[in-house]
Amino acid sequence: MKDELNGSLIIVLDQQNPDGAARIGIIGKISIDTNKVDVTFGNLHQESVDVNNVHFLKDRSNLYSYLLSNTSDINLGDFKTLFKINMLQDRGDPASILEAYHLLQKNPSAINSATDSLSNFQRSKQLLNTEAPKVFSR
């Protein structure tokens, strides 16, 4: 799990300063022992960040399902942002994904709807890895 996310684009939220701007970066290294992630930002500044502050875009099909099932509950501005992000995810190229993160920087109220925390991702991976292997027989 540690290596599969290396080089992934992410957005970092500062829990200590909620009014601070979200920052876009690239995962360098994940240290499970310390729950820290080494992130490199656009100005080539490297920082060790807590896994709870690191967020990445939800899977495009999950985001689309969320949009369809919660249309009436989502603020119109957030809905437009989330829909644009989903369309950018459909393109799939790195420039489009970066553009999606820039949209989130401009519309921080949509961040929680469009992203998952790395700590939640780690927990779900650990649950998957602890399941007993399935044995099939005839």
Side-chain angles (χ1 to χ4, degrees), residues 1-137:
M1 196 281 301
K2 288 175 14 177
D3 294 335
E4 72 187 74
L5 295 175
N6 286 355
S8 297
L9 279 170
I10 48 92
I11 194 161
V12 176
L13 307 177
D14 188 0
Q15 304 292 351
Q16 310 302 340
N17 182 13
D19 296 331
R23 299 176 294 161
I24 299 170
I26 296 175
I27 292 178
K29 181 178 83 170
I30 300 173
S31 177
I32 294 175
D33 302 334
T34 60
N35 279 334
K36 296 284 185 184
V37 179
D38 290 342
V39 177
T40 303
F41 297 100
N43 59 0
L44 300 181
H45 168 74
Q46 290 186 333
E47 191 175 318
S48 188
V49 181
D50 188 84
V51 293
N52 295 315
N53 297 343
V54 176
H55 291 252
F56 58 95
L57 290 176
K58 288 182 178 177
D59 177 68
R60 66 184 177 144
S61 59
N62 291 345
L63 181 57
Y64 187 71
S65 296
Y66 172 78
L67 284 170
L68 290 180
S69 61
N70 296 300
T71 303
S72 61
D73 301 331
I74 303 172
N75 169 318
L76 181 60
D78 288 348
F79 182 85
K80 288 179 179 180
T81 299
L82 295 170
F83 191 74
K84 287 177 188 175
I85 288 169
N86 197 243
M87 289 186 341
L88 288 167
Q89 285 180 307
D90 281 340
R91 287 188 195 165
D93 62 291
S96 297
I97 301 302
L98 181 59
E99 188 177 340
Y101 280 113
H102 282 293
L103 280 173
L104 287 176
Q105 273 186 316
K106 293 176 188 168
N107 303 291
S109 60
I111 289 176
N112 288 332
S113 301
T115 64
D116 285 324
S117 165
L118 182 58
S119 61
N120 291 343
F121 179 78
Q122 279 183 315
R123 278 194 286 277
S124 67
K125 281 295 211 179
Q126 287 171 350
L127 289 175
L128 289 174
N129 291 337
T130 58
E131 288 181 5
K134 294 181 177 144
V135 178
F136 297 98
S137 62

